[in-house]
Amino acid sequence: MSFGYTVLGFGSGPSDPYVAATGGTVTTDGDFKVHTFTSSGNFVVTNPSSSVSSIEYLVVAGGGGGGAGGGANAGGGAGAGGYRTATGTAVTAQTYPIQVGAGGAGNVYNQDLTSAGESKFGTDLAMVITSARGGSGGNGDGHGARVNGQTGGSGGGASGVQTGGGSAGNTPSTDPSQGNDGGEGGQGLGLGGGGGGGAGAAGADATTNQGGNGGNGSASSITGSSVTRAGGGGGGGNNYGGATNPGSGGSGGGGAGAGSNTTGGNGSTNLGGGGGGGWGDPSQNGGNGGSGIVILRYRFQN
């Protein structure tokens, strides 16, 4: 007599086989294997050969680059890379390309805003999971004057005196939410940059003499241990009346905003954190965004 099994979220009944696969860095968590990709590669499913089984995924894109300071106006903190996770995703025996997005370069005064990189799992039109790159933080008094935060997986914060924090944009627009909006820049005499959005919370608006804090990221235990990823970058401190007061980076790898005469902090590597905004001075650039990550998990034994 044979006995089948049913595992919720990892197959629909007794005929569902366990998964076997190669690619990335492989670790074991009880009855599950975890494939972690910190750079692009291939996830090769060798079993099942014809039946369908399922996996859990986490796909985080590269965080955006923080905005540069300009004049007395600080740069906005950058948005975190798009954050997508789900269980019960069907796979078959084939090769699934993996793309891990790079973080965006910190923005430079009087230059165009930079872009981060998308992360992807698979390329087949029937199943491709794309996380949008993080939105760049706005530059203060730079190229095109003061600028708003840019749209991304999470939106970037606006530069000082700009009200337009970047929105959380998805690729394509029908995809589920991947993050949160960036914050507004400071108004009146408060010229700090807005905080970049994170996977778990929006970036904070800058207030009088205070840059906005980056939005916090989201925690996942897909590897077996809880890790927070995709935090937004903090807005830079202003350069008005000697006030500095930068915003802090969001939990999950967001870079801190810059204080007096410093550049924005960098987002953390392979966490998809946004870069911090630069201090309100033309020589102070934004911080670099952190690169993304792709993690896949499946049951391999019972």
Side-chain angles (χ1 to χ4, degrees):
M1 179 180 295
S2 63
F3 294 90
Y5 64 90
T6 300
V7 181
L8 295 178
F10 291 90
S12 59
S15 63
D16 294 327
Y18 296 120
V19 175
T22 61
T25 298
V26 183
T27 55
T28 301
D29 177 33
D31 294 332
F32 295 86
K33 284 191 176 178
V34 180
H35 294 241
T36 300
F37 292 84
T38 56
S39 60
S40 298
N42 290 308
F43 179 65
V44 183
V45 177
T46 57
N47 181 60
S49 59
S50 58
S51 300
V52 173
S53 195
S54 59
I55 66 169
E56 179 180 359
Y57 68 78
L58 174 67
V59 181
V60 181
N73 302 300
Y83 183 104
R84 297 186 64 184
T85 187
T87 61
T89 299
V91 293
T92 58
Q94 62 175 292
T95 297
Y96 293 90
I98 301 295
Q99 176 179 308
V100 175
N107 290 296
V108 178
Y109 175 72
N110 205 34
Q111 293 187 15
D112 290 318
L113 299 179
T114 60
S115 295
E118 296 177 331
S119 290
K120 293 183 180 181
F121 164 43
T123 57
D124 188 332
L125 292 179
M127 204 272 314
V128 56
I129 307 301
T130 301
S131 287
R133 62 187 181 230
S136 175
N139 282 346
D141 283 332
H143 189 76
R146 296 180 291 273
V147 295
N148 294 321
Q150 303 299 291
T151 296
S154 282
S159 65
V161 307
Q162 295 296 102
T163 59
S167 61
N170 305 325
T171 307
S173 60
T174 55
D175 280 352
S177 174
Q178 300 181 22
N180 291 279
D181 297 344
E184 297 183 358
Q187 305 300 300
L189 298 180
L191 306 178
D205 296 340
T207 60
T208 301
N209 299 326
Q210 174 69 57
N213 294 333
N216 288 333
S218 290
S220 168
S221 297
I222 190 171
T223 62
S225 300
S226 181
V227 178
T228 301
R229 302 176 176 86
N238 67 57
N239 181 14
Y240 187 90
T244 56
N245 301 324
S248 61
S251 62
S260 178
N261 293 300
T262 58
T263 59
N266 295 331
S268 296
T269 301
N270 296 128
L271 293 183
W279 186 61
D281 183 274
S283 65
Q284 307 305 330
N285 300 329
N288 298 328
S291 56
I293 196 166
V294 175
I295 304 175
L296 309 171
R297 174 186 174 97
Y298 57 84
R299 183 178 287 275
F300 77 100
Q301 66 179 10
N302 188 19

